[in-house]
Amino acid sequence: MSQAPATSEATRRGHDREIIALAVPAFGALVAEPLFVMADSAIVGHLGTAQLAGLGIASALLTTAVSVFVFLAYATTSAVARRVGAGDLQAAVRQGMDGIWLALLLGAAVIAVVLPFASGIVDVFGASATAAPYATTYLRISSLGIPAMLVVLAATGVLRGLQNTRTPLYVAVAGFIANAGLNAALVYGAGLGIAGSAWGTVIAQCGMAAVYLTVVVRGARRHGASLRPDTAGIRASAQAGVPLLIRTISLRAVLMIATAVAARLGDADIAAHQIVLSLWSLLAFALDAIAIAGQAVIGRYLGANDAVRAREACRRMVQWGIATGVILGLLVIAARPLFLPLFTGDPAVKSTALPALLIVALSQPISGVVFVLDGVLMGAGDGPYLAGAMVLTLVVFTPVALLVPVLGGGLTALWGAMTLMMTVRMLTLWLRARSGLWIVTGATR
């Protein structure tokens, strides 16, 4: 990045407008997604503690399963954006259809595993005897909606690649409203209990997938793109997704290790960790929105053989990431006394969480750089490097985190290890961005 020429004020303003136009709707769509689980929890929670515990286990399993396949959105965004930049909209939509067909195949495979083995999967995760039946019921029914969830991911990637983040926002908001209404009607109105919540979510997810498919199919017909599955195209989509799958699994492993370590520190520490982690995840949505803009914009510039604009956009997005991180950090510092009472009245949990929240606040500029460069390299289709960098980060983080209970320092030390993890990510991504090796122009990488 250091080799990029100075950019004019007009160019910076152009990049700013483009970032805002893509990032703001993307942020809205990202925030709407976790509201599905929150709505389910609020409605099922009134059925009883066992039902809520069952929902918690099943939803955690479903969220993990779906998040592993987030590469369907990331890889599709990059591939489609490159084709858009090259001026070949027919190939862009065709590329998106390959991603959607891959999503359907993966969804069918997940159902084939979850349906017959739902009870065993729940038992592996340590569900109590009272919660297990509810978790099994919810997991088994909700698994039927996994193909729709994966189609939503892939189709979202298609639209992002086409530089359209508004439609995903509208669909996400409509899906949340439908999900909440269906859950209330089926759980209480129809008296189906937790099964009603699961069916409501399945119906809402299928409705969202149907809307996305309608939009993509119309685009395919408009540009003369085939809707039939193409074996070579599906295989290429899968191959592009493998490195991002490795990256995502490594990142999930970091979060799971952190939670496991927090659990060993004591009840107050694990409770405080969940509060801090929830805020960290919320802040990530704001930064991830800029990363999504990076995926779409960088892919388009590289597809158009415009390496100069790609460098300029990368530089400007990093500035956005740092500035957003500083603002978010200041907000966390100011809101700490107000934020904690929303989650707990336990003085021990509050005192444990406060210094950890301060670390999260101070590390937000680092997170801003990490998320932005992650998005830039995804947009460039630089998946193999991202996979290697994340595996390296996991290797560095794991021993440091596991030493926390041994050496002391409690939750504050654990979140210091989390900041080390983000710092390692920032260094590996910055070195790659600076090298310019990610800049590979053309309709395909």
Side-chain angles (χ1 to χ4, degrees), residues 395-419:
V395 170
V396 173
F397 169 78
T398 300
V400 175
L402 294 179
L403 282 173
V404 168
V406 178
L407 300 179
L411 190 68
T412 303
L414 177 59
W415 276 91
M418 289 287 285
T419 300

Side-chain angles (χ1 to χ4, degrees), residues 152-369:
V152 167
L153 282 177
T156 299
V158 176
L159 295 181
R160 288 174 181 170
L162 293 171
Q163 318 296 297
N164 176 2
T165 57
R166 289 183 177 274
T167 298
L169 170 61
Y170 301 148
V171 175
V173 171
F176 166 71
I177 295 171
N179 178 68
L182 286 166
N183 268 257
L186 295 175
V187 171
Y188 297 110
L192 296 180
I194 195 169
S197 176
W199 280 117
T201 300
V202 168
I203 294 170
Q205 291 286 356
C206 289
M208 292 171 65
V211 172
Y212 274 119
L213 287 174
T214 300
V215 173
V216 174
V217 167
R218 284 178 179 173
R221 289 175 175 167
R222 183 165 58 252
H223 298 294
S226 173
L227 300 175
R228 295 179 180 178
D230 176 64
T231 303
I234 294 172
R235 187 185 304 114
S237 294
Q239 289 172 344
V242 169
L244 296 181
L245 175 63
I246 294 171
R247 167 203 167 273
T248 301
I249 291 174
S250 300
L251 180 57
R252 296 295 301 185
V254 164
L255 299 179
M256 290 175 65
I257 290 169
T259 299
V261 170
R264 293 177 60 188
L265 296 175
D267 290 347
D269 291 88
I270 185 61
H273 176 71
Q274 289 304 115
I275 294 172
V276 176
L277 186 61
S278 67
L279 177 62
W280 188 80
S281 300
L282 178 62
L283 297 173
F285 286 131
L287 299 173
D288 203 25
I290 304 175
I292 288 169
Q295 293 171 35
V297 171
I298 295 298
R300 193 185 78 239
Y301 282 145
L302 293 179
N305 296 309
D306 195 341
V308 172
R309 295 292 294 276
R311 281 184 179 275
E312 290 174 350
C314 176
R315 180 185 291 272
R316 190 56 176 165
M317 286 179 189
V318 168
Q319 293 171 353
W320 268 78
I322 294 172
T324 304
V326 169
I327 293 170
L328 292 176
L330 292 174
L331 288 175
V332 171
I333 292 173
R336 279 188 308 159
L338 303 175
F339 176 75
L340 287 174
L342 296 175
F343 291 87
T344 182
D346 188 334
V349 175
K350 288 181 180 179
S351 63
T352 302
L354 273 172
L357 283 175
L358 181 59
I359 291 176
V360 169
L362 295 176
S363 67
Q364 284 308 293
I366 296 174
S367 296
V369 176

Side-chain angles (χ1 to χ4, degrees), residues 62 66 107 111 139-152 198-199 201-203 205-206 209:
L62 288 165
V66 174
I111 288 179
L139 181 62
R140 190 166 280 148
I141 296 172
S142 292
S143 68
L144 299 175
I146 287 179
M149 296 180 196
L150 299 188
V151 166
V152 167
W199 280 117
T201 300
V202 168
I203 294 170
Q205 291 286 356
C206 289

Side-chain angles (χ1 to χ4, degrees), residues 70-81:
V70 74
F71 70 83
L72 288 166
Y74 293 159
T76 304
T77 298
S78 169
V80 171

Side-chain angles (χ1 to χ4, degrees), residues 53-69:
L55 172 66
I57 294 167
S59 63
L61 288 168
L62 288 165
T63 300
T64 299
V66 174
S67 67
V68 164
F69 296 114

